[in-house]
Amino acid sequence: MRLLVTAAIGLALLAGSARAAGPPVLGFTLSSGAQSGLQRVSLPSASTPNAPGSISVPVSFTSPPANPQQLPLSSLHVLWQQAGVAYGIPWQVLAAVNKIESNFGQNMGPSSAGAVGWMQFMPSTWLRWGVDADGDGIADPWNATDAVYAAARYLAAAGGQTDISRGVFSYNHADWYVREVLDLAQVYGQGGITQTVDLQQLQSKLDDARREVVRANELLVAAQGQEQQLRKVSQGLHARVEAAALLSDRLAAERRAVLYDAHVDEARAATDAARANLEQAQSSLATATQSAQAPSFAQGVGTLMGAA
């Protein structure tokens, strides 16, 4: 159910096995002030899955819609809180799963495994645990409200109300995944929605800076290759000048060599410009990386975003 995350989290917030039985991870509390906001919708219980054929889904719910829904983080924050209250799951955990699975709706799949939507449910799992949380008659994994509530329900069904590690493990059966989700949830919990927004903006800047470095490096390699190729041709032309027996042949070869030397000069200038562009991109990346390591962020955030 997981999309790959580009950064490895270095925080060590979990003690022992991620599957160990026990109380919820310390530091996670439910948002007591959040109201359901969907009181007119009768939400399904987390104790039993949907009966076969009991929910309506989009005709092609395994494929993305023509215009995928996008929501600002402020709206998602309300959803995380409301769904968390409805099913007894900390909002920070829902936010972390949302981030890791689809980058807050930016990468909704289908994944290589076939997972779809805001919270990356496998189609068969969605049919069992999907929720029509907005009351439109359709349980849609591509709809943020339906997907977030379904994720909260699924985590609760797996025991997340009393052991959040166990619930997250059911979402993806890997201890490293549990650690990644709960570490990120802890970071979000320390700073609330403000830090969640700040981190997402900073992550975007880091990603843009990294892409620009890669692009600038590719352009430099291409420019260097072009310059090298032109220099090789130029050297061959100058060799012909030296080898020409007749003055007329020598003069003709010199003209061609001089003209080609102009192309070499242009290629060298292009290489220099590409090198300067790469240096600028590397400088921008260094600045973004330094920002990610600023003391105003929670400890471990730089590692979280691959900036450490």
Side-chain angles (χ1 to χ4, degrees), residues 223 226-235 237-238 256-272:
Q226 179 71 3
E227 180 184 357
Q228 184 178 13
Q229 183 178 6
L230 291 174
R231 283 188 181 279
K232 185 176 181 180
V233 174
S234 176
Q235 290 170 356
L237 291 175
H238 282 284
R256 288 195 296 271
V258 169
L259 289 174
Y260 222 87
D261 285 345
H263 293 308
V264 173
D265 291 339
E266 292 174 356
R268 182 171 58 250
T271 298
D272 291 342

Short mmCIF file of all heavy atoms in Angstrom, two decimals, residues 223 226-235 237-238 256-272:
data_model
loop_
_atom_site.label_atom_id
_atom_site.label_comp_id
_atom_site.label_asym_id
_atom_site.label_seq_id
_atom_site.Cartn_x
_atom_site.Cartn_y
_atom_site.Cartn_z
N ALA A 223 27.07 18.86 -22.93
CA ALA A 223 27.90 19.92 -23.49
C ALA A 223 29.35 19.48 -23.60
O ALA A 223 30.04 19.76 -24.60
CB ALA A 223 27.79 21.19 -22.64
N GLN A 226 29.69 17.13 -26.54
CA GLN A 226 29.67 17.85 -27.81
C GLN A 226 31.00 18.55 -28.06
O GLN A 226 31.54 18.51 -29.18
CB GLN A 226 28.53 18.87 -27.80
CG GLN A 226 28.41 19.71 -29.06
CD GLN A 226 27.92 18.93 -30.25
OE1 GLN A 226 27.61 17.74 -30.14
NE2 GLN A 226 27.87 19.57 -31.42
N GLU A 227 31.53 19.17 -27.02
CA GLU A 227 32.82 19.86 -27.18
C GLU A 227 33.93 18.87 -27.52
O GLU A 227 34.77 19.14 -28.40
CB GLU A 227 33.18 20.60 -25.88
CG GLU A 227 34.50 21.35 -25.97
CD GLU A 227 34.90 22.01 -24.66
OE1 GLU A 227 34.12 21.93 -23.69
OE2 GLU A 227 36.01 22.58 -24.61
N GLN A 228 33.93 17.74 -26.86
CA GLN A 228 34.96 16.73 -27.12
C GLN A 228 34.87 16.22 -28.55
O GLN A 228 35.90 16.03 -29.23
CB GLN A 228 34.80 15.57 -26.13
CG GLN A 228 35.88 14.50 -26.25
CD GLN A 228 35.71 13.41 -25.21
OE1 GLN A 228 34.68 13.31 -24.57
NE2 GLN A 228 36.73 12.59 -25.04
N GLN A 229 33.65 16.01 -29.03
CA GLN A 229 33.47 15.52 -30.39
C GLN A 229 33.96 16.55 -31.41
O GLN A 229 34.64 16.21 -32.39
CB GLN A 229 32.00 15.20 -30.63
CG GLN A 229 31.71 14.60 -32.00
CD GLN A 229 30.24 14.26 -32.17
OE1 GLN A 229 29.42 14.56 -31.31
NE2 GLN A 229 29.90 13.63 -33.28
N LEU A 230 33.63 17.82 -31.19
CA LEU A 230 34.07 18.87 -32.11
C LEU A 230 35.58 19.05 -32.08
O LEU A 230 36.21 19.30 -33.12
CB LEU A 230 33.37 20.18 -31.75
CG LEU A 230 31.86 20.23 -32.02
CD1 LEU A 230 31.26 21.52 -31.50
CD2 LEU A 230 31.58 20.08 -33.52
N ARG A 231 36.18 18.94 -30.91
CA ARG A 231 37.64 19.05 -30.80
C ARG A 231 38.33 17.93 -31.59
O ARG A 231 39.36 18.15 -32.23
CB ARG A 231 38.07 18.99 -29.34
CG ARG A 231 37.83 20.28 -28.57
CD ARG A 231 38.46 20.22 -27.19
NE ARG A 231 38.21 21.43 -26.45
CZ ARG A 231 38.89 22.56 -26.60
NH1 ARG A 231 39.89 22.62 -27.48
NH2 ARG A 231 38.60 23.63 -25.88
N LYS A 232 37.74 16.75 -31.53
CA LYS A 232 38.33 15.62 -32.26
C LYS A 232 38.31 15.88 -33.77
O LYS A 232 39.30 15.63 -34.47
CB LYS A 232 37.55 14.35 -31.93
CG LYS A 232 38.15 13.09 -32.53
CD LYS A 232 37.38 11.86 -32.07
CE LYS A 232 37.99 10.59 -32.65
NZ LYS A 232 37.25 9.38 -32.20
N VAL A 233 37.18 16.42 -34.27
CA VAL A 233 37.09 16.74 -35.69
C VAL A 233 38.08 17.85 -36.04
O VAL A 233 38.76 17.81 -37.07
CB VAL A 233 35.66 17.16 -36.06
CG1 VAL A 233 35.59 17.64 -37.51
CG2 VAL A 233 34.69 16.01 -35.83
N SER A 234 38.17 18.86 -35.16
CA SER A 234 39.08 19.98 -35.40
C SER A 234 40.53 19.50 -35.47
O SER A 234 41.31 19.94 -36.33
CB SER A 234 38.93 21.02 -34.29
OG SER A 234 39.87 22.07 -34.45
N GLN A 235 40.89 18.60 -34.58
CA GLN A 235 42.26 18.07 -34.60
C GLN A 235 42.54 17.34 -35.91
O GLN A 235 43.65 17.43 -36.47
CB GLN A 235 42.46 17.14 -33.41
CG GLN A 235 42.49 17.86 -32.07
CD GLN A 235 42.44 16.91 -30.88
OE1 GLN A 235 42.30 15.69 -31.06
NE2 GLN A 235 42.54 17.46 -29.68
N LEU A 237 41.16 18.03 -38.81
CA LEU A 237 41.30 19.03 -39.87
C LEU A 237 42.68 19.68 -39.82
O LEU A 237 43.31 19.92 -40.87
CB LEU A 237 40.21 20.09 -39.72
CG LEU A 237 38.78 19.61 -40.05
CD1 LEU A 237 37.78 20.71 -39.74
CD2 LEU A 237 38.68 19.19 -41.52
N HIS A 238 43.17 19.98 -38.63
CA HIS A 238 44.50 20.58 -38.51
C HIS A 238 45.59 19.59 -38.95
O HIS A 238 46.63 20.00 -39.50
CB HIS A 238 44.75 21.04 -37.08
CG HIS A 238 44.08 22.34 -36.75
ND1 HIS A 238 44.55 23.56 -37.19
CD2 HIS A 238 42.95 22.61 -36.04
CE1 HIS A 238 43.76 24.53 -36.75
NE2 HIS A 238 42.77 23.98 -36.05
N ARG A 256 38.85 25.39 -43.64
CA ARG A 256 37.90 24.49 -42.97
C ARG A 256 38.23 24.36 -41.48
O ARG A 256 37.34 24.34 -40.64
CB ARG A 256 37.93 23.11 -43.64
CG ARG A 256 37.28 23.09 -45.02
CD ARG A 256 37.01 21.66 -45.48
NE ARG A 256 38.25 20.91 -45.64
CZ ARG A 256 38.97 20.87 -46.76
NH1 ARG A 256 38.56 21.55 -47.83
NH2 ARG A 256 40.06 20.15 -46.84
N ALA A 257 39.52 24.29 -41.16
CA ALA A 257 39.92 24.14 -39.77
C ALA A 257 39.56 25.38 -38.95
O ALA A 257 39.08 25.27 -37.81
CB ALA A 257 41.43 23.87 -39.68
N VAL A 258 39.78 26.57 -39.55
CA VAL A 258 39.45 27.81 -38.84
C VAL A 258 37.94 27.91 -38.59
O VAL A 258 37.49 28.29 -37.50
CB VAL A 258 39.95 29.03 -39.63
CG1 VAL A 258 39.38 30.32 -39.06
CG2 VAL A 258 41.47 29.08 -39.62
N LEU A 259 37.15 27.56 -39.61
CA LEU A 259 35.70 27.59 -39.44
C LEU A 259 35.26 26.61 -38.34
O LEU A 259 34.38 26.92 -37.53
CB LEU A 259 35.01 27.24 -40.76
CG LEU A 259 35.09 28.31 -41.86
CD1 LEU A 259 34.50 27.78 -43.16
CD2 LEU A 259 34.35 29.58 -41.43
N TYR A 260 35.87 25.45 -38.31
CA TYR A 260 35.50 24.46 -37.30
C TYR A 260 35.95 24.88 -35.92
O TYR A 260 35.31 24.56 -34.91
CB TYR A 260 36.07 23.09 -37.67
CG TYR A 260 35.06 21.99 -37.43
CD1 TYR A 260 34.15 21.63 -38.41
CD2 TYR A 260 35.00 21.33 -36.20
CE1 TYR A 260 33.21 20.64 -38.20
CE2 TYR A 260 34.07 20.34 -35.97
CZ TYR A 260 33.16 20.00 -36.98
OH TYR A 260 32.23 19.04 -36.76
N ASP A 261 37.07 25.61 -35.85
CA ASP A 261 37.54 26.10 -34.56
C ASP A 261 36.51 27.03 -33.92
O ASP A 261 36.39 27.09 -32.69
CB ASP A 261 38.87 26.84 -34.72
CG ASP A 261 40.04 25.88 -34.94
OD1 ASP A 261 39.86 24.68 -34.67
OD2 ASP A 261 41.11 26.33 -35.39
N ALA A 262 35.77 27.76 -34.76
CA ALA A 262 34.72 28.63 -34.23
C ALA A 262 33.63 27.80 -33.55
O ALA A 262 33.10 28.18 -32.49
CB ALA A 262 34.12 29.47 -35.35
N HIS A 263 33.31 26.64 -34.13
CA HIS A 263 32.33 25.75 -33.51
C HIS A 263 32.86 25.21 -32.18
O HIS A 263 32.11 25.05 -31.21
CB HIS A 263 32.01 24.58 -34.44
CG HIS A 263 31.29 24.99 -35.69
ND1 HIS A 263 30.14 25.75 -35.69
CD2 HIS A 263 31.56 24.74 -37.00
CE1 HIS A 263 29.73 25.95 -36.92
NE2 HIS A 263 30.58 25.35 -37.75
N VAL A 264 34.15 24.93 -32.14
CA VAL A 264 34.76 24.44 -30.90
C VAL A 264 34.67 25.51 -29.81
O VAL A 264 34.36 25.22 -28.65
CB VAL A 264 36.23 24.04 -31.13
CG1 VAL A 264 36.91 23.69 -29.80
CG2 VAL A 264 36.32 22.85 -32.09
N ASP A 265 34.93 26.77 -30.20
CA ASP A 265 34.84 27.87 -29.23
C ASP A 265 33.41 28.00 -28.69
O ASP A 265 33.21 28.24 -27.49
CB ASP A 265 35.27 29.18 -29.88
CG ASP A 265 36.76 29.22 -30.18
OD1 ASP A 265 37.50 28.43 -29.55
OD2 ASP A 265 37.18 30.02 -31.04
N GLU A 266 32.43 27.86 -29.57
CA GLU A 266 31.04 27.92 -29.13
C GLU A 266 30.71 26.78 -28.18
O GLU A 266 30.01 26.97 -27.17
CB GLU A 266 30.11 27.87 -30.35
CG GLU A 266 30.18 29.10 -31.24
CD GLU A 266 29.34 28.94 -32.50
OE1 GLU A 266 28.79 27.83 -32.69
OE2 GLU A 266 29.26 29.89 -33.29
N ALA A 267 31.22 25.60 -28.48
CA ALA A 267 30.98 24.44 -27.62
C ALA A 267 31.64 24.63 -26.27
O ALA A 267 31.07 24.26 -25.23
CB ALA A 267 31.49 23.17 -28.29
N ARG A 268 32.85 25.21 -26.26
CA ARG A 268 33.53 25.46 -24.99
C ARG A 268 32.75 26.46 -24.15
O ARG A 268 32.62 26.31 -22.93
CB ARG A 268 34.95 25.97 -25.24
CG ARG A 268 35.73 26.20 -23.94
CD ARG A 268 37.20 26.49 -24.19
NE ARG A 268 37.38 27.66 -25.04
CZ ARG A 268 37.83 27.60 -26.30
NH1 ARG A 268 38.12 26.43 -26.85
NH2 ARG A 268 37.98 28.70 -27.01
N ALA A 269 32.21 27.49 -24.80
CA ALA A 269 31.40 28.48 -24.07
C ALA A 269 30.14 27.83 -23.50
O ALA A 269 29.72 28.13 -22.37
CB ALA A 269 31.02 29.63 -25.00
N ALA A 270 29.53 26.92 -24.27
CA ALA A 270 28.35 26.22 -23.79
C ALA A 270 28.69 25.33 -22.59
O ALA A 270 27.91 25.23 -21.63
CB ALA A 270 27.74 25.38 -24.91
N THR A 271 29.86 24.70 -22.63
CA THR A 271 30.30 23.88 -21.51
C THR A 271 30.51 24.73 -20.26
O THR A 271 30.10 24.35 -19.16
CB THR A 271 31.59 23.14 -21.87
OG1 THR A 271 31.35 22.26 -22.97
CG2 THR A 271 32.10 22.33 -20.68
N ASP A 272 31.15 25.89 -20.44
CA ASP A 272 31.38 26.78 -19.30
C ASP A 272 30.06 27.25 -18.70
O ASP A 272 29.91 27.33 -17.47
CB ASP A 272 32.21 27.99 -19.74
CG ASP A 272 33.65 27.61 -20.10
OD1 ASP A 272 34.09 26.53 -19.68
OD2 ASP A 272 34.31 28.40 -20.80
#
